[in-house]
Amino acid sequence: MEGELISLFVAVAWTATALFAEVGSKRMGSLTFNTMRMVLSLLFLTATLWLIMGVPYPRFADGATWGWMLLSGFVGYVLGDYCLMKGYILIGSRFGQLFMTLSAPTAAIIARLFLGEKMHPLDLLGMFITLGGIAMSILSKNETSASGRKVRLKLPIKGIFFASMAGIGQGAGLVISKIGLFHYEQSASAAGMVSGFDIPDGALLSVPICFSIPFAATLIRTYIGLSGFFLALMLFGDHGLSQLHRAVCDRKAMWSALGSTILGPFVGVSASMFAVTLTSAGIAQTIFALTPILIIAPAALFFHQRVTVREVIGAVISVLGVSLFFIR
């Protein structure tokens, strides 16, 4: 039950993160915003590890842990978050989060390939229902003189592509993270942390190692995330350092980046790492997928977005489809 409750907290945190991120990414641009988020996340996580592990780096992590968590960071942060912020710019956070429901079927498929978790016939049904809910939300019918009613996309294809890739990246990154967390726990045990409630020597706060490892694992992901986004900003951005300077001077953009960082890469992602150690990756991802429903009301309130009944029903259907992946 603890894992499920933490997963629900993650869904709420990511809802707020998406709202902050839509504002910040539209003001800064996706590469600049992600770079700034990674810088802030690095500072927060480094300070946190110094307090709870006694050192400002991922203590007890072995080579396998680093390898899997760096791969997870590249897939989930560099590829996934870049696509997500581009999606926010092109189609907004509400629709962007709707496509994040694709992370659940992706997690199921990747877990089948890497972890040997079995797939059930309900998984295929869940996939079709999830895709059907997304389609219901993004398709509309137009009156045409020649053919009566014609189905068309309400969203730009480019935005759909980036949002879809973001969902796939998050699902894959989560499963890869679970593999990395397994190695981290084994490495910590070999280093003397026999129980999950052991406290590392030198820690300034008495926090059990089971709570510390998710933050340390997230820091490893942040290293590759910051490296990837900064390199991309320098190579593909328009005067990358000037963009960062302008972003720092934009107070509203920086507050958005701060809110998105605290609730996203710092607290939200670390909590998601902890959640998947207490429950299955699939169940956790199902609860995370509630975000497209949770975001509807605040998106309408703060961004004055017109929300149709069809879109709400589509979001609910998509989340219900996700739940079928993990009903046994």
Side-chain angles (χ1 to χ4, degrees), residues 28 65 78 141 226-227 263:
M28 293 186 189
T65 300
V78 180
K141 291 183 178 180
L226 176 57
S227 301
L263 295 173

Side-chain angles (χ1 to χ4, degrees), residues 141-273:
K141 291 183 178 180
N142 271 357
E143 295 290 347
T144 61
S145 58
S147 58
R149 298 181 71 83
K150 182 179 180 180
V151 176
R152 71 174 182 89
L153 286 172
K154 291 192 293 186
L155 305 174
I157 293 177
K158 189 175 180 180
I160 292 173
F161 169 78
F162 280 113
S164 299
M165 294 305 297
I168 292 170
Q170 186 190 74
L174 183 72
V175 177
I176 297 171
S177 293
K178 184 159 188 170
I179 300 173
L181 286 168
F182 170 77
H183 285 286
Y184 206 152
E185 291 167 354
Q186 295 295 310
S187 178
S189 178
M193 298 288 103
V194 180
S195 167
F197 292 95
D198 287 345
I199 299 172
D201 295 334
L204 301 179
L205 297 178
S206 299
V207 177
I209 190 68
C210 64
F211 293 100
S212 303
I213 283 179
F215 286 97
T218 303
L219 180 57
I220 298 176
R221 299 181 84 209
T222 301
Y223 289 146
I224 190 65
L226 176 57
S227 301
F229 284 127
F230 184 76
L231 180 61
L233 183 63
M234 294 299 104
L235 293 177
F236 307 115
D238 183 16
H239 305 292
L241 292 178
S242 297
Q243 285 181 270
L244 287 174
H245 181 264
R246 287 194 299 270
V248 171
C249 295
D250 187 333
R251 183 173 297 181
K252 186 174 182 179
M254 285 302 298
W255 276 113
S256 298
L258 181 62
S260 179
T261 301
I262 292 175
L263 295 173
F266 180 49
V267 174
V269 174
S270 297
S272 75
M273 297 293 101

Side-chain angles (χ1 to χ4, degrees), residues 45-57:
L45 288 167
T46 299
T48 300
L49 288 192
W50 180 62
L51 292 173
I52 64 180
M53 278 192 161
V55 293
Y57 55 84

Side-chain angles (χ1 to χ4, degrees), residues 117-132:
E117 296 181 3
K118 295 182 179 180
M119 294 187 71
H120 191 274
L122 281 177
D123 296 339
L124 293 177
L125 178 61
M127 184 178 299
F128 283 115
I129 292 177
T130 299
L131 293 174

